[in-house]
Amino acid sequence: MGKIYIVGIGPGDMANMTYRAAKAIEAADIVVGYGAYIELIRDYFPEKEFASSGMTREVQRCRLALEKARSGLKTALVSSGDSGIYGMAGIMLQVLNESGSQIPVEIIPGVTAASAAASLLGAPLMHDFAVISLSDLLTPWELICKRIRLALQGDFVLCLYNPRSKKRSGYIGIARDIAMEYRRPETPVGIVRNAGRKNEGCEIASLEGMLNFDIDMFSTVIIGNSATYVENGRMITPRGYVL
Amino acid sequence: MGKIYIVGIGPGDMANMTYRAAKAIEAADIVVGYGAYIELIRDYFPEKEFASSGMTREVQRCRLALEKARSGLKTALVSSGDSGIYGMAGIMLQVLNESGSQIPVEIIPGVTAASAAASLLGAPLMHDFAVISLSDLLTPWELICKRIRLALQGDFVLCLYNPRSKKRSGYIGIARDIAMEYRRPETPVGIVRNAGRKNEGCEIASLEGMLNFDIDMFSTVIIGNSATYVENGRMITPRGYVL
């Protein structure tokens, strides 16, 4: 009988993948995913059959995974990071519900971009934080701005996913301008590109100067709260322990 | 030369640990951690030397790790979940900075409780979310309440860590009462206990009825946003794809 594993592969390298994620991919007859993510893992599973599709073809990818599972194949649907955080888990469950299929599903979590980025920067997520995607493909930009404002008012650390793409190159600048209304200009901002992948990059900027750094669609941006500081090259949001 | 690995072991079972976390523990001469977390992993590393300490002894644990590393040992300091999310990374870096030591440090991320819990519930974290700890050991309760309110106003999914302990048994009830001001009484709430551990438990309640379920200090509570629903026993926060 077929089965669908919805697998979070983590940042992209084998080291940061869980045993369970790797075992599910090994157990699968076919692995379905966005082309760029398939490329991250193809070499680790040289015997495996892969089926990839384009970036905005999420629904089609889930339908393909369902079709393969219905034909009796063990099918792994992969997301980078955690499949449950802006990943494929939601849309796959929606496609499954729509179909009325009783195919078994197992959701396998992974290391999300916030965790991978934070580990390279130091310890910026030691206190309450808000995760916000700047992609307005599926969310009105006004709602995104509202959330940024409220998170800043609450002195949350902000973790921004999808901070920039070709079509919305200015959004990260607007987010930074809003942040300047609530945080000191010297508030530390961590910018991590391609965490756990080739060309990994990691910089600590100030809120004021953050736009001088390369920020692209493969970046994660972490804006500190009012207590976040930098020492010895590492970004730290103290939790309040007395040394 | 000594070294400190700050390791997120994930929920607690080997399956959900990353290769990198396991390798760091294997490479370590000694593993330092809170007793209950050490117990989770002791059997996976039968040859290893462990040093544990009590729950509120975080600073002492970091000083012990530093002392071991300074004596030339490779030392793994372990946290459950992700070491960078309410974990040991921050306080370890602070202790290190205070000491002026140049001991090398490597921070190894893991699967955080939000991800582990979400994977058992369905797909509740498909959209922007706020992570808030209800522990007031180091944070004023008024600030915690303010953050809950602002996150609700922003229609964030709420992910509550440390929802209850003996000393603050009523806080989760207050959080729920605040949520009732902003969300429908039937808003889905996921309650996950001991994700990835013995006695794992997972329930989907309504906001109105959530206090009828067991919530303890090993639980993670996820309160849906205005669009979150339950279908076929799974909690889904839709991202907005058109099927």
Side-chain angles (χ1 to χ4, degrees):
Chain A
M1 188 186 176
K3 175 169 180 173
I4 300 173
Y5 301 98
I6 309 175
V7 181
I9 61 170
D13 55 349
M14 199 70 194
N16 285 297
M17 196 182 294
T18 67
Y19 286 94
R20 193 176 160 204
K23 274 194 184 155
I25 294 172
E26 271 159 20
D29 301 301
I30 184 164
V31 180
V32 176
Y34 167 45
Y37 299 152
I38 293 289
E39 289 315 310
L40 290 172
I41 59 167
R42 192 190 285 276
D43 291 350
Y44 303 130
F45 304 94
E47 309 289 304
K48 201 55 60 182
E49 185 185 346
F50 290 94
S52 62
S53 66
M55 185 164 57
T56 56
R57 314 274 293 172
E58 288 86 358
V59 176
Q60 291 87 333
R61 225 176 291 147
C62 292
R63 293 216 163 107
L64 176 64
L66 177 57
E67 190 189 303
K68 296 292 182 188
R70 275 182 152 165
S71 77
L73 298 180
K74 290 196 181 70
T75 306
L77 177 68
V78 296
S79 294
S80 75
D82 179 14
S83 54
I85 296 182
Y86 307 114
M88 298 299 291
I91 181 66
M92 186 68 242
L93 293 180
Q94 289 179 279
V95 164
L96 206 70
N97 285 336
E98 180 203 45
S99 75
S101 166
Q102 299 297 315
I103 291 278
V105 169
E106 183 179 341
I107 302 172
I108 299 176
V111 172
T112 186
S115 295
S119 73
L120 292 168
L121 293 165
L125 301 182
M126 284 295 111
H127 219 302
D128 304 333
F129 62 97
V131 177
I132 301 173
S133 166
L134 294 195
S135 168
D136 67 345
L137 285 179
L138 301 164
T139 308
W141 175 241
E142 294 69 32
L143 177 58
I144 298 172
C145 286
K146 182 184 173 188
R147 285 179 175 160
I148 292 170
R149 246 174 227 290
L150 289 164
L152 288 160
Q153 284 168 22
D155 203 22
F156 285 94
V157 177
L158 260 70
C159 188
L160 304 178
Y161 281 46
N162 307 307
R164 178 179 269 160
S165 72
K166 274 182 196 161
K167 284 192 190 155
R168 42 189 175 77
S169 63
Y171 284 9
I172 185 69
I174 299 173
R176 175 256 183 208
D177 290 348
I178 298 173
M180 286 284 283
E181 296 177 34
Y182 297 90
R183 297 273 207 280
R184 292 170 294 114
E186 59 271 26
T187 302
V189 174
I191 301 162
V192 177
R193 283 179 303 279
N194 295 304
R197 302 181 192 169
K198 261 184 265 178
N199 307 317
E200 180 178 274
C202 172
E203 266 126 3
I204 300 176
S206 65
L207 183 58
E208 192 168 33
M210 64 178 272
L211 297 177
N212 297 323
F213 293 83
D214 248 9
I215 299 175
D216 63 20
M217 63 181 291
F218 300 109
S219 305
T220 305
V221 173
I222 298 180
I223 300 176
N225 71 13
S226 62
T228 305
Y229 63 93
V230 180
E231 191 170 348
N232 291 323
R234 292 203 179 91
M235 184 173 170
I236 298 175
T237 302
R239 196 160 172 208
Y241 293 106
V242 177
L243 292 199
Chain B
M1 190 187 175
K3 175 170 180 173
I4 299 174
Y5 301 97
I6 309 174
V7 182
I9 61 170
D13 55 349
M14 199 71 192
N16 286 298
M17 197 183 293
T18 67
Y19 286 94
R20 192 174 160 206
K23 272 191 185 155
I25 295 172
E26 270 159 21
D29 300 303
I30 184 164
V31 180
V32 176
Y34 166 45
Y37 299 152
I38 293 290
E39 289 316 310
L40 290 173
I41 59 168
R42 191 188 285 276
D43 291 349
Y44 303 130
F45 304 94
E47 309 288 302
K48 199 56 58 182
E49 184 185 345
F50 291 94
S52 61
S53 67
M55 185 162 57
T56 56
R57 315 274 293 173
E58 287 86 359
V59 176
Q60 291 86 335
R61 226 176 291 146
C62 292
R63 294 215 164 108
L64 175 64
L66 177 57
E67 188 189 303
K68 296 291 181 187
R70 276 182 150 164
S71 77
L73 299 181
K74 291 196 183 68
T75 306
L77 177 69
V78 296
S79 293
S80 75
D82 178 15
S83 54
I85 295 182
Y86 307 113
M88 298 298 291
I91 182 66
M92 186 68 242
L93 292 180
Q94 288 179 280
V95 165
L96 206 70
N97 284 337
E98 180 202 47
S99 75
S101 165
Q102 299 297 313
I103 292 278
V105 169
E106 182 179 342
I107 302 172
I108 299 178
V111 172
T112 186
S115 295
S119 73
L120 293 168
L121 293 165
L125 300 183
M126 285 294 111
H127 219 303
D128 303 334
F129 61 97
V131 177
I132 301 173
S133 167
L134 295 195
S135 168
D136 67 345
L137 286 178
L138 300 164
T139 309
W141 174 240
E142 295 67 33
L143 177 58
I144 298 172
C145 286
K146 181 183 173 190
R147 285 178 175 161
I148 292 171
R149 247 173 226 290
L150 289 164
L152 288 160
Q153 284 168 22
D155 203 21
F156 285 94
V157 177
L158 259 73
C159 189
L160 305 179
Y161 281 46
N162 308 308
R164 178 179 269 159
S165 73
K166 274 184 196 158
K167 284 192 189 153
R168 44 190 171 79
S169 62
Y171 285 8
I172 185 68
I174 299 173
R176 176 256 183 206
D177 291 348
I178 298 173
M180 286 285 282
E181 296 177 32
Y182 298 89
R183 296 272 207 284
R184 291 171 294 115
E186 59 272 26
T187 301
V189 174
I191 300 162
V192 176
R193 284 181 300 280
N194 294 305
R197 301 180 193 169
K198 264 184 266 178
N199 307 317
E200 180 178 275
C202 172
E203 266 126 2
I204 300 177
S206 67
L207 183 58
E208 191 166 34
M210 65 178 271
L211 297 177
N212 297 324
F213 293 82
D214 247 9
I215 299 174
D216 63 21
M217 63 180 294
F218 300 108
S219 305
T220 306
V221 174
I222 298 181
I223 301 176
N225 71 12
S226 63
T228 305
Y229 64 93
V230 179
E231 192 171 349
N232 292 323
R234 293 201 180 92
M235 185 173 169
I236 298 174
T237 302
R239 197 161 170 207
Y241 293 105
V242 177
L243 292 200

